Amino acid sequence: MAAGTGLRARKRAQTRHALHESAVELFLARGFDDVTVAEIAEDANVALTTLFTYYPDGKVALVFEQDEDRAAALVDAVRERPAGTDPLRAVETFMASRLPFEPQDPRRERLLGLIFSTPQLRAHVRKKWTDCEDALVKVLAEEGHEPEDAAVRALARLVLESPDIAARESAPGEALAMIFANLRRGWRYD
């Protein structure tokens, strides 16, 4: 939490985090389908209406604490990349900072098992990435390519499918790096 953040914002962040943590712990203990949103709200000591205020998409969204406009954040990562960094490296770095590549969560392996064994969760994760296609095409077009170019759209689509592909590997971070190395070679960003 940034210094100077107001009490209200800190309380909102704490409530959101508490809901996420309760949901993940219950899902890991009992399985996604065997936990209700009412049980999650009770475990987090909040009203059910509060749960839906923070997570209007319900159970599926509770697994993923990050509350961001992913497309905007992805575009910012490309536009605000360090000088000399190619756009694909900026996207790779952005992706590597999110589950399943972020190694800091000790529950990562169990959480990935939950996600890949629960069709709704896997679909949600993929959709969060693939919904960024138009934004990624636009920002790649800013690099001197035509946005209507099928090659740019194909690159964007391949890039946005890479987290789903890499996450299934035993070393997701290494798999993501290998995918991007191949994409950069093929796209001549290497």
Side-chain angles (χ1 to χ4, degrees):
M1 184 76 34
T5 303
L7 177 62
R8 184 179 181 128
R10 286 194 311 269
K11 287 200 172 274
R12 287 183 59 81
Q14 288 169 350
T15 300
R16 184 174 184 78
H17 182 72
L19 285 163
H20 164 73
E21 286 298 315
S22 289
V24 168
E25 289 305 318
L26 288 168
F27 294 152
L28 290 175
R30 296 183 8 217
F32 183 79
D33 292 328
D34 294 329
V35 177
T36 67
V37 289
E39 290 171 316
I40 295 165
E42 183 178 328
D43 190 69
N45 200 28
V46 301
L48 187 56
T49 55
T50 301
L51 181 146
F52 283 108
T53 298
Y54 287 88
Y55 291 94
D57 294 335
K59 266 174 67 167
V60 169
L62 280 156
V63 174
F64 311 99
E65 186 176 17
Q66 292 170 332
D67 181 33
E68 67 182 354
D69 177 342
R70 180 153 299 169
L74 181 60
V75 166
D76 288 346
V78 174
R79 287 184 179 149
E80 297 168 8
R81 70 189 186 271
T85 303
D86 71 68
L88 291 181
R89 174 87 53 206
V91 173
E92 178 184 2
T93 300
F94 177 81
M95 287 179 171
S97 69
R98 273 121 183 101
L99 186 74
F101 311 106
E102 186 178 45
Q104 290 81 4
D105 192 336
R107 305 172 297 195
R108 184 172 67 97
E109 294 302 319
R110 292 175 52 221
L111 196 51
L112 286 176
L114 175 71
I115 291 167
F116 282 108
S117 67
T118 309
Q120 305 98 298
L121 294 177
R122 181 160 181 240
H124 180 80
V125 170
R126 286 187 76 213
K127 186 171 177 6
K128 295 248 331 156
W129 286 114
T130 59
D131 282 355
C132 299
E133 184 177 324
D134 289 338
L136 184 57
V137 166
K138 181 179 178 187
V139 78
L140 290 175
E142 291 172 4
E143 299 295 317
H145 305 285
E146 292 298 318
E148 301 82 24
D149 185 355
V152 173
R153 185 155 301 276
L155 175 63
R157 193 164 297 168
L158 289 169
V159 163
L160 296 170
E161 288 289 349
S162 63
D164 183 62
I165 296 165
R168 295 176 149 263
E169 298 298 318
S170 59
E174 292 173 21
L176 186 71
M178 179 270 306
I179 290 168
F180 272 88
N182 288 331
L183 287 171
R184 270 191 298 283
R185 270 195 299 280
W187 198 253
R188 290 182 230 109
Y189 279 123
D190 200 23

